[in-house]
């Protein structure tokens, strides 16, 4: 169910009727016609830009079109009033029975409320987290992890076929460093005094268990091998151990991926050759590779720039600022080449729509990857990159100091253990992903309206409390959602009650818009507004006894109000589900 879609259907039928009668031209394109809440609630329930977007096609003045639509649409039973404003906006006021009918619709839909089919089952790949497998997840990974997972949930709710993917960066120099660090811990496990961890190796104690496991499995055999022999053995063991740790860390946030893709697989050859070779061959066949010398970049010099001939990709043909190196002068491929091969593999797996969630330090990489996807897919593929800005940790207003160099950092597990999974997930979505976010351990646990996660959860818990009290007062009544959906809602007439119903009815449209924009934070914002609407009604009932939810001597009124607040609870639960947060039944 979607009130806005329903009214757009009425609007479309009205415009088609006017075309049939000759008031408007036939075959008007209605693709850009919108139906949305008005900016000012006093103007009505629905606003549409129909007259403005149709004026050019119809070769008529917007105001004339608006007057015609307004006069015709009020003949529909769903609309009681249509006003034309400004240059041609149309504001509609809906029949109160149409508004009230949203409540039983929500109760009937239950957990599926807000689900839409706008995605039409279209495959979309969401790649997120993709932290280097060189240590435990720290708080810096937390925001992108939560954002990516909530975005995947949102797209799933909107009817897309979502694959959640993790790219394992298990090739390159950092993995050699990891293996050498683990080998040092292996020697320590054999009883050797290794002293201080040398500069350039990973100092964290999290590698101690890896060293012990190697000692248990191999004894001292690895110490008798040359580095070329033991390095691949220790690499494999270290990567496996780190990925097990990362999966466990993500598990505490209830994040689970469908696909873990290894970077090393890009270079492994099969009958058709390696995925890397396929990417080079494809670009070569399209005339998109050449040997040249790039101009020195302004500012900080990137790792892949060399003042000598290199194999380059014609990225500028696809919107990038400069062409990009595919191979270094020594013949080895660049990181960019591996990323191209990886995204080609995604496209060939059926993902024309790809979303990558990256950290703020990768923002300069966006244009080249989008150019690559355009080139690889002949323009049929699309890559949207969502950048997640840093999270700053505070404790009682004071910054929490961390040092990656010394191995002193706050792990993701530390944060979840202290404040809880649901708090972490909600707070990480209370700002747009590309805006900085402050996370204060004290503030996120505060029980006040200034704490958004508490405010939303408190609304749900309050509704559950009312339902428990109603169960005691009306022990002989069926208070299931199915029964409440049959309540007579004509008694719901207070402006705060009606405003709350309209807020609930806006949820399906919110899901569609947030999914199209790839912005799950909109759901968090909406839930805060819905919770505020419920708390306002609660407080109004404290001042005016007639608006309280339970009246033991007025069963009909009670059932109508219980139906309303249960619709709010269903909506809160559905929205929290997108965020990956479990709604609470009581506050503790």
């Amino acid at each position: 169910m979607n009130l806005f879609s329903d009214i757009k259907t009425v609007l479309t039928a009205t415009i088609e009727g006017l075309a049939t009668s000759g008031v408007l031209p036939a075959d008007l394109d209605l693709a850009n016609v919108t139906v949305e809440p008005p900016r000012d609630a006093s103007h009505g329930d629905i606003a549409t830009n129909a007259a403005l977007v149709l004026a050019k096609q119809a070769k008529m003045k917007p105001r004339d079109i608006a007057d015609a639509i307004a006069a015709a649409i009020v003949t529909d039973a769903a609309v009681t009033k249509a006003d034309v404003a400004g240059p041609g906006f149309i504001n509609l006021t809906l029949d109160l029975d149409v508004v009230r009918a949203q409540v039983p619709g929500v109760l009937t839909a239950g957990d599926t409320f807000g689900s839409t089919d706008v995605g039409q089952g279209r495959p979309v790949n969401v790649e997120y987290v993709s932290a280097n497998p060189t240590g435990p997840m720290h708080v810096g990974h937390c925001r992108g992890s939560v954002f990516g997972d909530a975005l995947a949930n949102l797209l799933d709710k909107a009817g897309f076929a979502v694959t959640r993917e993790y790219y394992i960066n298990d090739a390159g120099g950092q993995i050699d460093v990891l293996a050498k660090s683990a080998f040092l811990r292996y020697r320590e496990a054999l009883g050797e005094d290794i002293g201080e961890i040398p500069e350039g190796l990973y100092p964290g104690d999290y590698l101690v268990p890896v060293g012990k496991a190697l000692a248990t499995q191999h004894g001292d055999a690895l110490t008798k091998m040359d580095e070329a022999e033991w390095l691949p053995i220790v690499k494999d063991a270290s990567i496996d151990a780190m990925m097990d740790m990362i999966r466990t860390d993500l598990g505490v946030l209830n994040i689970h991926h469908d696909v873990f893709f290894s970077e090393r697989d890009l270079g492994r050859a099969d009958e058709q050759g390696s995925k890397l070779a396929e990417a080079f061959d494809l670009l070569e066949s399209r005339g998109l590779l050449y040997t040249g010398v790039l101009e020195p970049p302004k500012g900080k010099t990137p790792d892949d720039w060399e003042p000598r001939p290199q194999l380059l990709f014609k990225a500028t043909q696809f919107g990038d600022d400069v062409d990009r190196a595919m191979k270094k002068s020594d013949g080895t491929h660049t990181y960019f080449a591996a990323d191209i091969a990886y995204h080609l593999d995604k496209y060939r797996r059926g993902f024309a729509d790809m979303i990558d969630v990256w950290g703020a330090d990768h923002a300069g990489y966006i244009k080249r990857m989008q150019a690559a996807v355009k080139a690889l897919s002949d323009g049929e593929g699309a890559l949207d990159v969502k950048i997640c800005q840093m999270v700053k940790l505070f404790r009682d207003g004071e910054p929490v100091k961390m040092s990656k160099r010394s191995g002193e950092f706050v792990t993701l597990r530390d944060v979840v253990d202290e404040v809880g999974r649901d708090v972490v997930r909600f707070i990480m979505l209370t700002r747009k992903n590309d805006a900085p976010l402050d996370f204060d351990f004290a503030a996120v646990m505060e029980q006040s309206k200034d704490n958004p996660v508490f405010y939303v959860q408190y609304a749900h818990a309050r509704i559950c409390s009312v339902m428990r009290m109603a169960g005691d007062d009306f022990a002989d009544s069926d208070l299931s959602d199915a029964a409440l959906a049959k309540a007579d809602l004509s008694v719901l007439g207070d402006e705060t009650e009606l405003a709350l119903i309209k807020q609930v009815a806006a949820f399906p449209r919110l899901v569609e818009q947030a999914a199209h924009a790839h912005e799950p934070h909109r759901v968090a914002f909406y839930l805060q507004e819905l919770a505020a609407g419920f708390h306002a009604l609660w407080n109004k009932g404290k001042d005016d006894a007639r608006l309280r939810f339970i009246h033991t001597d007025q069963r009909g009124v009670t059932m109508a109000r219980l139906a309303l607040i249960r619709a709010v609870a269903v909506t809160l639960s559905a929205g929290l589900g997108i965020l990956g947060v479990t709604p609470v039944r009581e506050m503790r």
Side-chain angles (χ1 to χ4, degrees), residues 253-268:
L253 278 173
N254 200 25
I255 293 175
H256 306 281
H257 291 81
D258 303 308
V259 175
F260 286 85
F261 189 101
S262 166
E263 181 183 353
R264 290 192 290 179
D265 286 346
L266 294 172
R268 293 190 175 111

Side-chain angles (χ1 to χ4, degrees), residues 74-318:
V74 290
T75 63
D76 189 277
V79 181
T80 60
K81 185 180 178 184
D83 295 318
V84 178
F89 288 104
I90 306 170
N91 295 317
L92 307 177
T93 300
L94 303 181
D95 184 89
L96 289 182
D97 286 339
V98 172
V99 175
R100 295 185 185 110
Q102 303 308 302
V103 172
V106 174
L107 298 179
T108 301
D111 292 340
T112 66
F113 179 56
S115 298
T116 78
D117 61 356
V118 293
Q120 298 182 328
R122 184 177 174 87
V124 59
N125 183 290
V126 184
E127 182 217 323
Y128 58 108
V129 187
S130 299
N132 289 339
T134 55
M137 300 283 291
H138 57 73
V139 71
H141 300 122
C142 188
R143 189 177 189 186
S145 303
V146 171
F147 173 85
D149 202 53
L151 175 56
N153 293 342
L154 173 62
L155 292 168
D156 186 61
K157 186 80 170 174
F160 292 86
V162 183
T163 293
R164 297 160 170 83
E165 188 151 338
Y166 186 118
Y167 181 58
I168 307 172
N169 292 278
D170 54 3
Q174 81 276 9
I175 300 301
D176 288 343
V177 173
L178 172 69
K180 291 173 182 178
S181 304
F183 188 74
L184 196 63
R185 295 298 189 176
Y186 158 70
R187 287 164 42 200
E188 181 181 46
L190 293 175
E192 183 179 335
D193 182 5
I194 61 171
E196 276 194 35
I197 304 297
E199 184 78 17
L201 297 185
Y202 296 118
D205 290 340
Y206 59 85
L207 288 174
V208 171
V210 181
K212 290 179 178 178
L214 287 167
T216 300
Q217 183 177 358
H218 298 283
D220 65 353
L222 299 181
T223 63
K224 300 172 183 178
M225 298 180 185
D226 293 333
E227 181 177 305
E229 293 181 88
W230 64 252
L231 189 62
I233 297 172
V234 178
K235 265 188 187 180
D236 288 344
S238 301
I239 292 169
D240 288 346
M242 293 303 98
M243 288 309 301
D244 285 344
M245 183 186 300
I246 287 170
R247 286 186 180 94
T248 301
D249 287 347
L250 291 173
V252 302
L253 278 173
N254 200 25
I255 293 175
H256 306 281
H257 291 81
D258 303 308
V259 175
F260 286 85
F261 189 101
S262 166
E263 181 183 353
R264 290 192 290 179
D265 286 346
L266 294 172
R268 293 190 175 111
D270 55 20
E271 295 81 5
Q272 286 77 41
S274 72
K275 297 181 188 300
L276 262 170
E278 289 177 23
F280 276 96
D281 289 346
L282 177 63
L283 293 176
E284 181 70 43
S285 69
R286 294 179 178 173
L288 297 176
L289 297 181
Y290 70 100
T291 300
V293 180
L294 291 174
E295 291 292 322
K298 297 178 181 178
K300 185 179 178 181
T301 303
D303 295 336
D304 58 0
W305 181 78
E306 296 180 81
R308 57 189 67 138
Q310 294 175 275
L311 186 65
L312 305 175
F313 162 57
K314 297 179 180 178
T316 50
Q317 287 191 16
F318 302 92

Side-chain angles (χ1 to χ4, degrees), residues 327-495:
K327 282 187 178 180
K328 303 174 186 176
S329 58
D330 63 3
T332 60
H333 68 264
T334 60
Y335 286 118
F336 178 53
D339 286 336
I340 284 182
Y342 174 46
H343 284 77
L344 174 60
D345 184 79
K346 284 186 188 180
Y347 181 69
R348 288 181 169 172
R349 281 187 274 140
F351 298 109
D353 292 333
M354 310 171 213
I355 303 170
D356 288 0
V357 180
W358 295 351
D361 55 339
H362 290 87
Y365 210 71
I366 295 175
K367 275 190 175 182
R368 72 186 72 179
M369 279 314 309
Q370 290 177 332
V373 169
K374 286 180 186 176
L376 296 168
S377 65
D378 271 337
E380 295 180 3
L383 171 65
D384 184 19
V385 178
K386 310 303 288 189
I387 294 295
C388 287
Q389 286 291 340
M390 295 292 292
V391 176
K392 294 181 180 178
L393 289 183
F394 294 83
R395 191 176 296 279
D396 296 320
E398 294 297 320
V400 176
K401 295 181 180 179
M402 292 179 283
S403 172
K404 191 173 182 180
R405 179 177 293 276
S406 66
E408 296 175 1
F409 50 80
V410 178
T411 68
L412 181 152
R413 179 71 69 90
D414 292 334
V415 177
V416 175
D417 285 348
E418 181 165 344
V419 303
R421 179 185 76 199
D422 290 337
V423 170
V424 171
R425 290 193 64 124
F426 196 103
I427 294 297
M428 290 295 163
L429 295 163
T430 53
R431 294 287 184 276
K432 194 172 185 292
N433 56 284
D434 58 3
L437 187 147
D438 293 344
F439 187 102
D440 191 301
F441 285 95
V444 301
M445 296 300 289
E446 187 178 274
Q447 294 196 352
S448 78
K449 66 178 183 179
D450 296 326
N451 178 3
V453 62
F454 170 80
Y455 199 55
V456 172
Q457 290 282 33
Y458 191 32
H460 190 271
R462 270 181 160 176
I463 293 169
C464 292
S465 174
V466 172
M467 294 305 297
R468 286 193 293 271
M469 289 188 288
D472 293 337
D473 292 337
F474 295 87
D476 59 342
S477 297
D478 182 357
L479 300 183
S480 67
D481 286 350
L484 292 175
K486 300 174 184 176
D488 178 6
L489 303 180
S490 61
V491 297
L492 301 179
D494 183 83
E495 61 181 3

